[in-house]
Amino acid sequence: MRVKDNSARVLWGLLLCVWLWPAGALAGTPVLPIETVSALPHDPTAFTQGLLFHDGVFYESTGLYGHSTLRRVDPATGRVLASRALPATVFGEGLALTGGRLYQLTWREGRVFVSDPASLHAVSELYLPTEGWGATTLGGRLVVSDGSDKLFFYDPKGLAPRGSVDVTDDGAPVARLNELEAVGGTIWANVWGETRIAVINPASGRVMAWVDCSSLAAGMLAADPEKVLNGIAFDAATGRLWVTGKSWPKVYEIKVPGLPLAADRPGRTLP
């Protein structure tokens, strides 16, 4: 798949990071450490499966059967401003926003709830032919992961398939792709059980860099191995970036020195 040239700024910036990386690190994909800007309160009972930032608030999808929700959250306080419970028979998963609608995946049920951000009420429901893990939007396409090494592209209206890409790191498949976020023309992906985030070229599927969040995740995993890194949100207007995990008490705003974050631009499309 090809991405229009208006993503070239970020892609070239990432390539420049590779070229300038110390010689000893060039044997593999760059692994970039994070800097923590701030730590914000987060509901520690929220089994975070999807996270996004829009109009000054977080929208969050939480999982577990009987406990799955769609939420609107105040970033500064962590207060849940509004919440809608999902049916007890579904496990909430990835979350994306496009066309003024929230698309909330479910794990194995094949159901995608399309909801109004203002009320959180479901306005329609779509069918997903694979498991639902992560979701984001890029160039008017809904991008979905299913726990494999593939990213799937759909037309949000009706979920007509628009292709897929295999994700690889130095030629090897990267499986267990989980929560997704479009960041400046690239796709960032949590990998289930990993303490780092894959920065993916959506045209080729190649992992261009890894963002190392082990400084945040290690303590949580030591306390409970289920509390994995999962949840990425990006503010395209300012370049601010947040990460969290399942049942974490904090959402962290981070920076990644050496990795440029360009604000996303409208009009980006995928063929």
Side-chain angles (χ1 to χ4, degrees):
M1 301 185 115
R2 292 178 296 107
V3 180
K4 280 192 173 181
D5 288 343
N6 56 4
S7 65
R9 175 181 169 189
V10 173
L11 297 180
W12 277 109
L14 285 166
L15 288 174
L16 183 60
C17 289
V18 174
W19 292 333
L20 296 180
W21 205 249
L26 291 176
T29 305
V31 179
L32 307 177
I34 63 167
E35 289 183 358
T36 302
V37 177
S38 62
L40 305 172
H42 181 244
D43 178 4
T45 69
F47 199 75
T48 304
Q49 299 293 87
L51 186 70
L52 63 86
F53 181 87
H54 178 68
D55 281 348
V57 296
F58 289 137
Y59 289 90
E60 184 174 16
S61 171
T62 69
L64 299 176
Y65 290 108
H67 300 279
S68 296
T69 64
L70 175 62
R71 302 175 172 197
R72 184 167 57 248
V73 179
D74 177 17
T77 65
R79 185 167 67 93
V80 178
L81 303 173
S83 179
R84 178 173 67 84
L86 272 59
T89 55
V90 304
F91 192 117
E93 284 283 352
L95 185 67
L97 175 69
T98 186
R101 290 289 184 257
L102 292 164
Y103 289 72
Q104 186 177 20
L105 309 185
T106 56
W107 182 22
R108 292 175 169 169
E109 293 73 42
R111 301 172 70 178
V112 178
F113 298 105
V114 183
S115 301
D116 171 37
S119 67
L120 301 186
H121 292 162
V123 297
S124 64
E125 186 175 319
L126 300 170
Y127 171 71
L128 186 70
T130 68
E131 288 190 4
W133 284 46
T136 189
T137 54
L138 181 66
R141 297 286 188 255
L142 185 67
V143 189
V144 171
S145 66
D146 69 346
S148 70
D149 60 341
K150 294 182 179 294
L151 294 177
F152 300 89
F153 297 82
Y154 295 95
D155 186 334
K157 296 181 180 180
L159 290 190
R162 291 292 183 261
S164 64
V165 66
D166 297 329
V167 176
T168 60
D169 179 18
D170 201 20
V174 179
R176 307 190 312 277
L177 296 172
N178 205 357
E179 219 268 306
L180 307 175
E181 182 74 6
V183 180
T186 64
I187 295 175
W188 288 37
N190 286 123
V191 178
W192 188 85
E194 291 271 0
T195 59
R196 56 186 188 171
I197 297 169
V199 180
I200 302 166
N201 180 333
S204 67
R206 184 172 68 88
V207 175
M208 308 174 72
W210 291 95
V211 176
D212 182 8
C213 296
S214 59
S215 60
L216 304 178
M220 299 304 301
L221 290 170
D224 184 344
E226 292 295 322
K227 295 183 176 182
V228 297
L229 178 71
N230 202 51
I232 310 165
F234 179 60
D235 181 6
T238 65
R240 296 173 73 192
L241 183 69
W242 299 267
V243 299
T244 191
K246 299 181 182 186
S247 304
W248 283 22
K250 300 289 184 182
V251 173
Y252 296 93
E253 183 181 351
I254 65 168
K255 291 182 177 180
V256 186
L259 185 62
L261 296 180
D264 198 9
R265 302 176 186 177
R268 180 173 293 122
T269 59
L270 295 169

